Amino acid sequence: MTDEVDAGRTLELDRAVFHSWSAQGALAPLDVERAHGCEVVLGDGRTLLDFSSQLVNTNIGHTHPRVVEAIQRQAALLPTVNPAHANRARGEAAQRILRAAGEPFSKVFFTNGGADANENAIRMARLTTGRDKVLSTYRSYHGNTGAAVVATGDWRRVPNEYARGHVHFWGPFPYRSEFWSTSPEQEVERALHALRRIVEAEGPGSIAAILIETVPGTAGVIVPPPGWLAGVRAVCDE
Ligand SMILES: Cc1ncc(COP(=O)(O)O)c(C=O)c1O
């Protein structure tokens, strides 16, 4: 635990940090010093339950001993590797991801983060289909880079709309339905009908990809009702 002077010092140092998606002048960040399991400890010693798993990305808990041990072991061996080289740990990770993903996947492309992954996915879809348009939902987050931020469905994309070929549609959300539905089944049926109509209106021959989160997280946690993901898959196949 730091004393009060030290806790103040953290926030003073933090003024040099640009916080993404924030009005810089209005910032009052938490001074998070460390974390273990599902708890974070603040600079002033208070312990909080981390209900958000940081950015919904630490779902196995903070500082899990096996993860810490693995990072320490690899850092002592080889902390970074030229992408052109082969490496046992990276190959092992790729094989495990392929086993989890199943057929027909045969390659894993490691990127630096989520936005980078989506940029490359969009480029690959455009290159392999020869088509341009990318459909994604409102109430989504895909990253803060050129195409990923425009694929993002919330208002934060608007001042950033410099990438072209992005079309948005409403996904299912029974709590705030755009489709006047009265049940999850009806919500899915109507959302899929709306998606089909958008595909027809945009021209199926011009669409390179439909980019969606399985469970939108950063733009609000929305667990899709049963049938939505399979239904979108079917629309893509059609
Ligand atoms: C669904 C989704 N896609 C993409 C991103 C962007 O990831 P990154 O911040 O690693 O670029 C996020 C980040 O929160 C995300 O939640």
Side-chain angles (χ1 to χ4, degrees):
M1 181 182 154
T2 50
D3 58 28
E4 224 169 82
V5 177
D6 257 11
R9 177 83 180 129
T10 302
L11 296 183
E12 205 179 297
L13 292 171
D14 188 75
R15 286 202 209 117
V17 176
F18 184 92
H19 289 257
S20 58
W21 303 118
S22 309
Q24 304 299 300
L27 289 173
L30 282 181
D31 166 12
V32 178
E33 191 177 85
R34 61 204 140 88
H36 190 67
C38 53
E39 292 181 339
V40 293
V41 182
L42 306 186
D44 63 10
R46 278 181 298 155
T47 297
L48 302 180
L49 266 176
D50 185 359
F51 279 111
S52 69
S53 302
Q54 292 296 294
L55 264 178
V56 275
N57 64 327
T58 56
N59 298 318
I60 59 166
H62 295 280
T63 57
H64 191 290
R66 282 177 62 186
V67 175
V68 172
E69 192 271 326
I71 292 171
Q72 285 173 338
R73 190 163 20 92
Q74 187 61 45
L77 266 180
L78 181 74
T80 182
V81 67
N82 180 326
H85 299 328
N87 173 262
R88 174 71 71 95
R90 193 178 55 192
E92 183 72 40
Q95 293 292 345
R96 289 192 198 182
I97 291 166
L98 288 179
R99 277 202 294 279
E103 293 287 331
F105 299 103
S106 59
K107 290 269 186 196
V108 177
F109 180 23
F110 292 102
T111 62
N112 295 313
D116 189 350
N118 284 331
E119 291 292 332
N120 282 288
I122 290 168
R123 278 165 49 202
M124 286 178 186
R126 284 178 169 154
L127 285 170
T128 52
T129 61
R131 301 169 184 172
D132 184 35
K133 285 180 191 163
V134 174
L135 272 52
S136 53
T137 64
Y138 293 108
R139 298 194 188 102
S140 68
Y141 182 70
H142 296 294
N144 68 0
T145 51
V149 72
V150 185
T152 289
D154 74 42
W155 63 269
R156 290 176 292 184
R157 79 183 184 283
V158 175
N160 299 281
E161 282 186 318
Y162 299 112
R164 39 174 270 269
H166 293 270
V167 178
H168 294 91
F169 63 95
W170 290 107
F173 187 25
Y175 184 62
R176 291 192 197 282
S177 174
E178 295 294 329
F179 305 105
W180 304 83
S181 69
T182 53
S183 71
E185 294 74 26
Q186 199 178 53
E187 178 77 359
V188 166
E189 190 191 318
R190 292 183 178 183
L192 284 172
H193 174 76
L195 174 59
R196 272 206 178 79
R197 295 291 293 141
I198 286 167
V199 168
E200 285 164 15
E202 292 294 329
S206 71
I207 299 169
I210 298 180
L211 175 68
I212 55 171
E213 295 156 271
T214 45
V215 177
T218 313
V221 180
I222 302 170
V223 179
W228 167 245
L229 294 173
V232 175
R233 177 72 260 167
V235 171
C236 293
D237 291 342
E238 281 164 32

